Amino acid sequence: MVDSVEAATYTVPTDAPEGDGTLTWQSTTLVLVRVRSGGVTGLGWTYGAPATARVVEQQLADLVTGRSAWDVPATNEAMTRAVRNAGRPGLVAGAISAVDIALWDLKARLLNLPLVRLLGASRSDVPVYGSGGFTTYDDEQQDRQLRNWVEEQGIPRVKIKIGESWGRAEHRDRDRVAYARRSIGARTELYVDANGAYARKQAVRLGEFLAEQDVTWFEEPVSSDDLTGLAQVRAAVTADVAAGEYGYSLPYFQQLLEAKAVDCPQADATRCGGITVWLRAAALVEAAGLDISGHCAPHVHAHAAAAVPNLRHLEWFHDHVRIEQALFDGVLDPAGGSIAPGESGAPGLGLTFRTEAAERYRV
């Protein structure tokens, strides 16, 4: 039985100003959920506004407390039904996701199993790609970050942000892509992410240049809400088109697939409904004959990613990696381009929250 549900918020400054095609930021907020059963505590989290913690406390905690710690899908469904009038997408979906992740961590800890063993492994290692290359970086910062992933850590695939200023700095985008290719050499895979900043035809025109630079992944060339536009860009460019990080429920992924909008859907367990729904999204994508990619929050996704046969890779996102390394013990090592969840034998997600170290970030 679940004895208690608690939420806490931690806002961590960035190590340098960060930005993409549509936003800039200087801090990132992690909302941590603890669920307890007896003397065992499960951890889950999402990234988003601090108000997410209030959703957990005011909308979900009483509902989850007293329920079986074993029946995570049933609790997920109960949370989803309970928030119908509160509006599930956005903050509420993040709150449900964090609780669901904590419940899976709790269940695995109660069984003294790494979560991947509880779910059942499809693979022993999970490929990752280095992700950052923010539009706010100068050439030296971008070069240093890319070389660290490729030369120091041996990660053979990396991604930078483009679409600066809602696509109004296209010449700089082109320069930064070309510079990234020079930094990483010819053998490393190069990905780009526009975060929906471009118009349809603009993205198609840019696709020709990306092909010249051997860019193989074009993420959110247009808004992820514009499924027709994604499909049109996909049909016109050689890079794989990706989107899905803003899918807050399973039906979104079905719509993404029906629209033939992407070559590789992305799903984010901290937004889509937790590990419960992430695994369902992966199965839906597998039935369509496609791979799935895990979006951000790598230590949330690692065990679930190892449990699905159609995983392409997991995003080793600089901002979240930095926070997870600072706030948790037991973090994974991406050396060589992959991580091995469960290898240590530690139960659950394999992480311990560094309460004292985190206190200075607590909101």
Side-chain angles (χ1 to χ4, degrees), residues 135-173:
T135 58
T136 46
Y137 283 1
D138 60 26
D139 289 348
E140 182 181 349
Q141 286 174 298
Q142 177 179 293
D143 180 73
R144 184 168 59 248
Q145 185 181 67
L146 294 175
R147 289 183 183 276
N148 176 67
W149 285 325
V150 176
E151 298 174 6
E152 302 299 322
Q153 299 186 62
I155 299 175
R157 54 196 80 85
V158 296
K159 185 176 81 178
I160 68 168
K161 301 285 192 181
I162 60 172
E164 184 177 348
S165 301
W166 286 94
R168 292 191 293 270
E170 188 179 325
H171 288 296
R172 184 164 187 264
D173 291 338

Side-chain angles (χ1 to χ4, degrees), residues 17 105 149 163 194 241 263 312 328 341 344:
D105 186 47
W149 285 325
V241 170
D263 296 285
R312 181 172 298 190
F328 296 94
S344 70

Side-chain angles (χ1 to χ4, degrees), residues 3 15 53 66 109 112 133 201 205 223 232-233 235 311 324 332:
D3 297 324
D15 55 2
R109 289 175 186 269
N112 197 32
K201 287 291 185 69
R205 289 192 297 269
S223 170
Q232 290 175 351
V233 175
L311 177 79
E324 290 167 10
L332 298 165

Side-chain angles (χ1 to χ4, degrees), residues 59-277:
Q59 300 281 335
L60 305 176
D62 288 346
L63 174 69
V64 175
T65 301
R67 297 185 66 91
S68 169
W70 305 120
D71 301 330
V72 183
T75 301
N76 187 291
E77 181 66 16
M79 290 190 289
T80 298
R81 293 183 179 187
V83 301
R84 184 189 67 186
N85 289 338
R88 189 179 185 282
L91 288 178
V92 177
I96 291 173
S97 299
V99 174
D100 180 271
I101 293 159
L103 289 170
W104 278 109
D105 186 47
L106 174 65
K107 182 175 180 178
R109 289 175 186 269
L110 288 169
L111 293 169
N112 197 32
L113 289 172
L115 180 57
V116 67
R117 301 295 169 225
L118 174 60
L119 299 175
S122 286
R123 61 181 67 236
S124 60
D125 63 333
V126 172
V128 301
Y129 66 89
S131 172
F134 300 106
T135 58
T136 46
Y137 283 1
D138 60 26
D139 289 348
E140 182 181 349
Q141 286 174 298
Q142 177 179 293
D143 180 73
R144 184 168 59 248
Q145 185 181 67
L146 294 175
R147 289 183 183 276
N148 176 67
W149 285 325
V150 176
E151 298 174 6
E152 302 299 322
Q153 299 186 62
I155 299 175
R157 54 196 80 85
V158 296
K159 185 176 81 178
I160 68 168
K161 301 285 192 181
I162 60 172
E164 184 177 348
S165 301
W166 286 94
R168 292 191 293 270
E170 188 179 325
H171 288 296
R172 184 164 187 264
D173 291 338
R174 291 170 180 259
D175 289 344
R176 290 179 56 248
V177 170
Y179 191 63
R181 174 51 74 193
R182 292 195 295 272
S183 295
I184 65 177
R187 295 187 177 182
T188 301
E189 292 183 60
L190 180 58
Y191 302 167
V192 297
D193 181 1
N195 288 96
Y198 294 129
R200 296 177 184 180
K201 287 291 185 69
Q202 184 182 19
V204 171
R205 289 192 297 269
L206 187 67
E208 296 179 8
F209 169 76
L210 297 179
E212 294 172 2
Q213 297 297 321
D214 196 22
V215 171
T216 55
W217 174 276
F218 195 177
E219 185 173 331
E220 285 193 323
V222 297
S223 170
S224 59
D225 292 327
D226 182 10
L227 302 187
T228 300
L230 284 171
Q232 290 175 351
V233 175
R234 181 193 181 197
V237 303
T238 59
D240 282 354
V241 170
E245 65 188 71
Y246 297 109
Y248 292 109
S249 64
L250 194 61
Y252 173 84
F253 296 98
Q254 179 63 28
Q255 294 160 12
L256 196 68
L257 294 169
E258 289 177 346
K260 300 186 185 303
V262 294
D263 296 285
C264 183
Q266 299 168 282
D268 188 330
T270 72
R271 294 173 177 168
C272 72
I275 290 170
T276 298
V277 179

